[in-house]
Amino acid sequence: MPRIIIFEDNDKLRESLAYLLKTQPEYEMVGEYNNCKEAATITRVYKPDVVLMDIDMPGDSGINGVRYVKENRPQTSVIMYTVFEDDEKLFQCLCAGANGYLLKQTPPQKLFDGIQEVIAGGAPMSPVIARKVLNSFQHGKSNKYFLTPREIEVLHLLIKGYSAKMIAANLDISFDTARAHLKNIYQKLHVNSGKEAIGKALGEHIV
Amino acid sequence: MPRIIIFEDNDKLRESLAYLLKTQPEYEMVGEYNNCKEAATITRVYKPDVVLMDIDMPGDSGINGVRYVKENRPQTSVIMYTVFEDDEKLFQCLCAGANGYLLKQTPPQKLFDGIQEVIAGGAPMSPVIARKVLNSFQHGKSNKYFLTPREIEVLHLLIKGYSAKMIAANLDISFDTARAHLKNIYQKLHVNSGKEAIGKALGEHIV
DNA sequence: TTCGGTATCACTCAAATGAGTGAGTACCCG
DNA sequence: CGGGTACTCACTCATTTGAGTGATACCGAA
């Protein structure tokens, strides 16, 4: 019987979730907590099969919660359960090893389906989340730093590891012009080197 | 009424799929093709809402098919429908803009659900696919270049944009030692600069 | 027409980087 | 014990880079 643990700071929501799950004879509720400070220990002791994890909790956020659980018991499936659609947090959770991502607007039946799905080795995601996840593989291009088209070209080459000289040759402009573009890019990204620019660009899905 | 087009080279499968969809009064089958060479034109002319696309087709593969469709009509949702679980092809499809990825073992009812889901703005994925997609955000660490633990530490700092001097300070080693590690990393990765190393490391999910 | 933004190019200078060479220590494994 | 690997450090040298400053040209909006 799948063992389930809930981390959720909203008392009302947590209790009603726990109540709902307890009414399902096919699950075993082995714990519910209003914070994830002790998630590591709890995970080691109770060995849950599925963890429902809220993101926005006082103290350690659920993003750390995922880490605590996964580091101590990788085979436990963690489903994020949150109101937020925040892109940054979403990707942090995924990188921390979350196995699913359901929005709190998810009706109880879909929640049960999701639990079944992670147990079966799947990855339940609310439709809007799934779409964002797939989108992250292609578009990106938030360009929140207002790079000009030319600067984006230069940044692409920079990311490919090109030196200023190679960029100049590739775009058929002078060495100093290439360097001028680079300097402007660094200013806009608030960094002081090409290496930082590459890290920021790839990390924040700018290109 | 959602307009649907199928690209699938297996005649029997394509025809039975088309037949199945035609029996559903809520969809309108506007075309079925055994290749995607003309996918661009077909898309512009018939303006489908949903495209079912096989990957493994003679001539242009379905990966190009996705591109043809998406370049000509981004609002058309493309669902990949294939027997393959090949990771490389999977990610190529996603990067090309696919909106869903269902395995051919998917029962018809789930297929209809998937079509509904893309139309609603979601991203239908077979469980095993969804899991792979999420895993791709964390797994990494193939270390096929045989970096030593220390070198991996250095590489991590390099990716964060640290200079040799900062790396030395952070690891409490001398400036020249930090540079020595960097030189060894560049050798192992077959690159000649920190920028290239960052690009390769992030691009190949080494770290 | 003036102003702002983009793109282009040049010059300087201190600092960082990549490449080469050499070498000492520590540890594990056979 | 010996050999291999990892980690450490130092020195040199040419090249690249980041930062500062300034200048010209084009274009579109005010």
Side-chain angles (χ1 to χ4, degrees):
Chain A
M1 195 156 59
R3 302 159 62 80
I4 302 182
I5 288 181
I6 298 177
F7 293 95
E8 162 67 64
D9 67 309
N10 181 323
D11 292 334
K12 248 174 85 176
L13 176 56
R14 184 185 66 254
E15 284 162 15
S16 67
L17 270 178
Y19 174 77
L20 259 176
L21 285 166
K22 279 175 189 160
T23 64
Q24 304 295 115
E26 66 267 36
Y27 303 125
E28 181 180 359
M29 275 295 305
V30 293
E32 43 164 306
Y33 304 86
N34 64 5
N35 68 78
C36 60
K37 279 197 287 292
E38 301 300 326
T41 308
I42 293 166
T43 300
R44 279 199 301 273
V45 173
Y46 294 108
K47 306 189 196 314
D49 299 292
V50 179
V51 165
L52 287 186
M53 179 76 72
D54 185 27
I55 290 187
D56 200 43
M57 285 186 282
D60 274 343
S61 88
I63 298 171
N64 284 326
V66 183
R67 293 202 186 93
Y68 298 154
V69 173
K70 280 293 181 179
E71 281 167 9
N72 285 282
R73 202 162 183 278
Q75 67 268 48
T76 292
S77 292
V78 179
I79 301 178
M80 306 309 293
Y81 188 63
T82 175
V83 287
F84 292 108
E85 287 187 34
D86 180 270
D87 288 17
E88 194 52 33
K89 285 188 178 133
L90 166 60
F91 290 110
Q92 284 178 14
C93 291
L94 299 186
C95 293
N99 301 104
Y101 203 107
L102 298 175
L103 298 180
K104 284 190 176 169
Q105 65 188 34
T106 305
Q109 185 50 51
K110 287 282 175 193
L111 179 57
F112 295 144
D113 289 350
I115 292 172
Q116 285 301 133
E117 198 173 333
V118 280
I119 291 170
M125 287 178 273
S126 295
V128 57
I129 297 297
R131 181 59 70 110
K132 281 186 184 185
V133 169
L134 289 208
N135 281 161
S136 77
F137 281 91
Q138 54 153 178
H139 86 321
K141 205 162 45 181
S142 57
N143 196 14
K144 58 183 149 185
Y145 296 99
F146 306 109
L147 300 176
T148 68
R150 196 57 157 173
E151 285 163 358
I152 292 177
E153 276 186 275
V154 173
L155 183 53
H156 271 109
L157 296 177
L158 181 70
I159 290 172
K160 283 164 73 177
Y162 283 33
S163 68
K165 191 183 285 186
M166 292 161 73
I167 292 173
N170 197 286
L171 297 181
D172 199 32
I173 56 180
S174 90
F175 175 64
D176 278 310
T177 300
R179 278 154 60 83
H181 286 310
L182 288 172
K183 274 179 278 201
N184 292 330
I185 292 171
Y186 300 164
Q187 273 203 340
K188 290 186 180 177
L189 297 193
H190 310 301
V191 298
N192 336 290
S193 78
K195 290 200 287 276
E196 283 183 272
I198 293 173
K200 191 153 192 166
L202 293 178
E204 298 191 17
H205 315 282
I206 295 176
V207 287
Chain B
M1 194 154 61
R3 301 159 63 81
I4 302 182
I5 288 180
I6 298 177
F7 293 94
E8 162 67 64
D9 67 310
N10 181 322
D11 292 334
K12 248 175 82 177
L13 177 56
R14 184 185 65 253
E15 283 161 17
S16 68
L17 270 178
Y19 174 77
L20 259 177
L21 285 166
K22 280 175 187 159
T23 64
Q24 304 296 117
E26 64 267 39
Y27 304 123
E28 180 180 0
M29 276 295 304
V30 293
E32 43 166 306
Y33 304 87
N34 65 3
N35 68 77
C36 59
K37 280 196 286 291
E38 300 300 326
T41 309
I42 293 166
T43 301
R44 280 199 301 273
V45 172
Y46 294 107
K47 306 189 195 316
D49 298 294
V50 178
V51 165
L52 287 187
M53 178 78 70
D54 185 27
I55 289 187
D56 199 43
M57 285 186 282
D60 274 344
S61 89
I63 299 171
N64 285 325
V66 182
R67 294 204 186 92
Y68 297 154
V69 173
K70 281 294 184 178
E71 282 167 7
N72 285 282
R73 199 159 185 278
Q75 67 268 46
T76 292
S77 292
V78 179
I79 300 177
M80 306 309 292
Y81 187 63
T82 176
V83 287
F84 292 109
E85 287 187 30
D86 180 87
D87 289 17
E88 193 51 34
K89 287 192 177 128
L90 166 60
F91 290 111
Q92 283 177 14
C93 291
L94 299 186
C95 293
N99 302 105
Y101 202 105
L102 298 176
L103 298 180
K104 284 188 177 171
Q105 64 186 39
T106 305
Q109 185 50 54
K110 287 283 175 190
L111 179 56
F112 295 145
D113 289 350
I115 292 173
Q116 285 301 133
E117 200 173 332
V118 279
I119 291 171
M125 286 178 274
S126 295
V128 57
I129 297 298
R131 180 61 69 111
K132 282 186 186 185
V133 168
L134 289 206
N135 280 160
S136 77
F137 281 93
Q138 55 153 171
H139 88 315
K141 205 160 46 185
S142 59
N143 197 16
K144 58 183 150 185
Y145 296 100
F146 306 109
L147 299 177
T148 69
R150 197 55 156 175
E151 285 163 358
I152 292 178
E153 275 187 275
V154 172
L155 183 52
H156 271 108
L157 296 177
L158 181 71
I159 290 172
K160 284 164 74 176
Y162 283 33
S163 68
K165 191 183 285 187
M166 292 161 75
I167 292 173
N170 197 287
L171 297 181
D172 199 31
I173 56 179
S174 91
F175 175 64
D176 278 311
T177 299
R179 278 154 59 84
H181 285 309
L182 288 173
K183 273 178 278 199
N184 292 330
I185 292 171
Y186 300 164
Q187 273 203 340
K188 291 187 181 178
L189 296 194
H190 310 300
V191 298
N192 324 292
S193 78
K195 292 199 286 277
E196 283 183 273
I198 294 174
K200 192 152 190 167
L202 293 177
E204 298 190 19
H205 313 283
I206 295 176
V207 288

